[in-house]
């Protein structure tokens, strides 16, 4: 691993307090000035990520953007990736699973292993999402995410800045942590940003095609993810360590 510009735990806490009442744009500007080419946005092109990507295109257009192609994404997500590249003229650095590792688990457990047990679902997420992201993040000192507190569960208390112990103590920056769903869609509408068309079909959180469905009235935003699992965290392991958090 390359050496990193890391923050101490106390510096990260102090910075989180300082940035808590700053706007998302101010936080992105601070991030860009602090980390330069060692800053990256990781996005799955959900509404939150699109807001940040649009802001970054105005504040720091050279900040690198990565995404994970799990091989199981919905058609609408691939179409959006294409649209975004054309509209913003940026390179989206697509990260892929290791082909051999994928072949091994699919041969052993089947192409739709995730429906059979929670541990097989986590194994699929590990190989298709967590490990490719881990490999990509080793090249950076700080990463930006679209996590928000309103998504609930273990996201309810996320700070705007924290040390990411799962990724070599790099800084994790959540500039719109305090945004509501209304604020996100207001921004998208006002700025005429492209968005994933599955939102128009009742989806409120969009991941892989076989593991995501639209929600019913009164269900929470992430209940359409891995909907067949009861009482398990609606997480894949990218943002929270499913073994320890
Ligand atoms: S969301 Fe589903 S298909 Fe995608 S990596 Fe996780 S288990 Fe596999």
């Amino acid at each position: 691993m390359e050496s990193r510009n890391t923050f101490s735990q106390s510096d990260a806490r102090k910075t989180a307090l300082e940035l808590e009442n700053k706007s998302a744009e101010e936080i992105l500007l601070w991030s860009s000035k602090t980390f330069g080419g060692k800053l990256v946005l990781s996005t799955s092109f959900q509404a939150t990520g699109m807001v940040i990507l649009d802001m970054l295109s105005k504040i720091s257009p050279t900040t690198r953007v990565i995404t994970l192609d799990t091989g199981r994404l919905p058609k609408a997500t691939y179409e959006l990736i294409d649209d975004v590249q054309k509209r913003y003229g940026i390179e989206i650095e697509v990260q892929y699973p290791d082909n051999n590792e994928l072949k091994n688990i699919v041969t052993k457990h089947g192409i739709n292993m995730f429906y059979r047990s929670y541990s097989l679902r986590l194994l699929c997420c590990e190989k298709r999402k967590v490990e490719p992201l881990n490999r990509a993040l080793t090249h950076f000192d700080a990463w930006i995410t679209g996590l928000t507190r309103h998504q609930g569960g273990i996201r309810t208390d996320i700070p705007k800045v924290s040390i990411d112990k799962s990724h070599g103590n790099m800084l994790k920056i959540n500039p719109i942590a305090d945004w509501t769903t209304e604020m996100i869609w207001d921004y998208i509408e006002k700025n005429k940003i492209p968005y994933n068309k599955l939102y128009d079909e009742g989806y409120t959180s969009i991941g892989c095609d076989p593991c995501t469905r639209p929600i019913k009235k009164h269900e929470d935003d992430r209940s359409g993810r891995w909907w067949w699992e009861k009482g398990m965290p609606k997480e894949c392991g990218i943002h929270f360590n499913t073994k320890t958090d």
Side-chain angles (χ1 to χ4, degrees):
M1 190 187 292
E2 297 157 36
S3 71
R4 278 191 162 142
N5 168 19
T6 50
F7 273 48
S8 68
Q9 197 62 261
S10 64
D11 281 348
R13 275 200 211 103
K14 193 165 153 256
T15 306
L17 283 175
E18 285 166 4
L19 295 180
E20 178 57 30
N21 294 318
K22 301 283 185 197
S23 69
E25 287 94 338
E26 287 171 318
I27 294 172
L28 289 172
L29 187 59
W30 172 84
S31 306
S32 164
K33 283 184 177 163
T34 306
F35 295 103
K38 291 288 190 172
L39 176 70
V40 66
L41 167 65
S42 173
T43 178
S44 56
F45 299 95
Q46 297 192 66
T48 49
M50 286 307 306
V51 167
I52 296 171
L53 192 144
D54 186 78
M55 287 177 178
L56 262 186
S57 73
K58 296 161 188 162
I59 293 165
S60 177
T62 55
T63 294
R64 289 165 66 184
V65 179
I66 59 171
T67 195
L68 306 173
D69 182 357
T70 63
R72 303 299 298 263
L73 299 179
K75 181 169 168 275
T77 304
Y78 290 114
E79 287 169 355
L80 179 59
I81 293 172
D82 234 9
D83 284 355
V84 166
Q85 291 203 126
K86 282 181 203 136
R87 166 162 172 161
Y88 294 97
I90 55 172
E91 182 194 351
I92 292 162
E93 300 177 40
V94 183
Q95 312 299 315
Y96 299 97
D98 180 280
N99 211 29
N100 284 331
E101 296 207 28
L102 210 51
K103 189 177 164 196
N104 287 342
I105 62 164
V106 169
T107 304
K108 190 165 176 197
H109 302 293
I111 194 77
N112 288 333
M113 66 181 80
F114 31 81
Y115 295 132
R116 290 174 38 213
S117 71
Y118 179 60
S119 58
L120 285 179
R121 193 274 278 177
L122 288 183
L123 178 65
C124 185
C125 286
E126 180 81 16
K127 296 299 172 193
R128 291 183 189 270
K129 292 183 172 186
V130 177
E131 290 182 359
L133 180 73
N134 290 351
R135 286 193 287 272
L137 288 183
T138 58
H139 303 293
F140 299 95
D141 291 346
W143 66 306
I144 306 166
T145 87
L147 291 185
T148 62
R149 293 166 189 157
H150 85 263
Q151 290 163 331
I154 45 189
R155 302 176 181 218
T156 308
D157 298 321
I158 48 161
K160 292 195 175 174
V161 162
S162 63
I163 300 281
D164 185 352
K165 289 185 190 148
S166 297
H167 295 110
N169 291 331
M170 68 194 302
L171 210 66
K172 184 170 183 177
I173 302 161
N174 308 307
I176 60 168
D178 54 350
W179 280 40
T180 61
T181 305
E182 291 71 29
M183 290 165 75
I184 291 159
W185 285 100
D186 274 358
Y187 186 95
I188 287 175
E189 279 162 28
K190 275 188 195 131
N191 292 278
K192 298 187 171 40
I193 298 176
Y195 62 89
N196 195 314
K197 296 303 170 215
L198 291 177
Y199 286 109
D200 295 336
E201 296 176 22
Y203 288 72
T204 48
S205 175
I206 300 167
C208 290
D209 185 65
C211 301
T212 314
R213 72 177 184 184
I215 61 164
K216 298 189 184 98
K217 267 188 189 166
H218 313 305
E219 286 182 328
D220 70 64
D221 277 6
R222 287 183 63 78
S223 60
R225 306 290 289 273
W226 309 289
W227 69 90
W228 63 90
E229 292 176 355
K230 304 292 174 220
M232 301 301 185
K234 299 285 185 186
E235 299 291 342
C236 62
I238 279 179
H239 294 296
F240 298 92
N241 188 321
T242 46
K243 296 179 188 87
T244 57
D245 287 340

